[in-house]
Amino acid sequence: MYSRRLSIGLTTVMLAASLAAPAFAKDKPHVLVYSGSTGYRHESIPAAVEAIKAIGAKAGYVVDATEDPEVFTAEKLATYRVLVLVDDSTDPKNPDSEWFTGARRDALQGFLKAGKSVVALHAAADSHYNWGWYGQMIGGYFERHPKGTPKGVVTVVDAKHPATAKLPKTLERNDEWYYYKDFDPTVHVLITVDPATIGEGQPDVNPNPLVWYHNFGGGRVFYSALGHSNESWSEPYMVNLVTGALAWAIGK
């Protein structure tokens, strides 16, 4: 009798576990990576997307990647907790190159209004110049950068954020160093670059913001200018930065 009861008990536990497994998988945070571009096309996009997928796999996220702007509907975005925009540049001289129009604009605005998050990377700031709301979401528009990818000294100005908690206070690294127009001075800056180290002015005068976050449109937005080259996406610095950014965006 005891053996039969034990068998029934084990069967019940196993059945409960099998029913719970799909629910656990369903509860994993879903992240959408969008890397479509109609402007300057960054060669590092595939490396960036693969790095984000690897970060997601390690953290237990479900990561989907696409370059099809048809994904921007309220119904499709409802599946995701975080939208990652990777180098989604448009042509500033051609308004027709912009895909956030009509219902797609409504879908993106509704995504944030629902309390979700956008993580925007590098040339995400070089996009949709004819939709002012987009620039406000990012925190500014790309204006220019010094030629090439010179070495520059980056400084963490806030190490309490998950994106910067594991980063060194300062580091010399190569990248494409963005300057911005219509920059929002109310964003919370996390990382800056010393202009003098990239041939732009005197030491420690007006450090240029590179990484920041803010609450916007009912949700949260994180932006990082870093990540121009393929090599960037294998750097521990970048991996730790984006790992923390995604954790913050998901709400961990």
Side-chain angles (χ1 to χ4, degrees):
M1 180 67 70
Y2 176 79
S3 177
R4 184 164 177 263
R5 287 178 180 174
L6 179 61
S7 177
I8 293 172
L10 286 173
T11 301
T12 302
V13 170
M14 290 173 67
L15 177 60
S18 67
L19 292 174
F24 177 80
K26 186 178 179 180
D27 289 340
K28 286 185 176 182
H30 283 59
V31 176
L32 175 63
V33 179
Y34 182 79
S35 57
S37 60
T38 54
Y40 179 83
R41 179 74 180 178
H42 279 72
E43 293 182 2
S44 60
I45 286 175
V49 172
E50 288 307 309
I52 294 165
K53 286 181 177 179
I55 290 168
K58 186 175 181 179
Y61 312 147
V62 176
V63 180
D64 297 326
T66 185
E67 297 200 349
D68 185 355
E70 293 298 322
V71 75
F72 294 112
T73 68
E75 182 179 6
K76 291 177 181 177
L77 290 182
T79 305
Y80 300 98
R81 193 179 302 181
V82 179
L83 169 64
V84 183
L85 298 173
V86 180
D87 295 330
D88 60 320
S89 60
T90 60
D91 183 350
K93 297 180 180 179
N94 181 13
D96 291 337
S97 69
E98 300 182 2
W99 57 84
F100 279 124
T101 58
R104 292 177 186 168
R105 289 186 177 185
D106 296 338
L108 180 58
Q109 290 175 320
F111 182 80
L112 281 172
K113 191 175 182 179
K116 298 181 179 182
S117 302
V118 171
V119 174
L121 303 175
H122 197 53
D126 185 23
S127 187
H128 286 79
Y129 292 89
N130 294 284
W131 185 25
W133 184 91
Y134 180 92
Q136 293 168 16
M137 176 189 73
I138 297 296
Y141 282 113
F142 165 76
E143 183 173 38
R144 67 178 182 87
H145 62 77
K147 185 177 180 180
T149 55
K151 281 188 177 180
V153 176
V154 292
T155 299
V156 171
V157 295
D158 181 357
K160 295 180 181 179
H161 192 278
T164 52
K166 293 184 178 181
L167 302 184
K169 175 67 175 178
T170 61
L171 183 73
E172 185 179 52
R173 60 184 302 279
N174 293 81
D175 216 312
E176 187 176 63
W177 308 105
Y178 278 12
Y179 281 75
Y180 304 90
K181 61 181 180 180
D182 300 330
F183 177 72
D184 181 356
T186 68
V187 299
H188 192 105
V189 176
L190 296 173
I191 299 175
T192 62
V193 63
D194 180 351
T197 63
I198 56 173
E200 299 267 323
Q202 301 300 314
D204 303 320
V205 175
N206 298 320
N208 190 37
L210 294 176
V211 180
W212 60 76
Y213 71 92
H214 63 150
N215 295 326
F216 183 80
R220 302 195 294 178
V221 178
F222 180 98
Y223 173 76
S224 168
L226 306 176
H228 174 75
S229 66
N230 289 327
E231 294 76 15
S232 295
W233 292 99
S234 60
E235 292 179 21
Y237 191 92
M238 281 294 296
V239 172
N240 284 329
L241 175 73
V242 176
T243 298
L246 286 175
W248 172 83
I250 285 167
K252 287 191 174 183

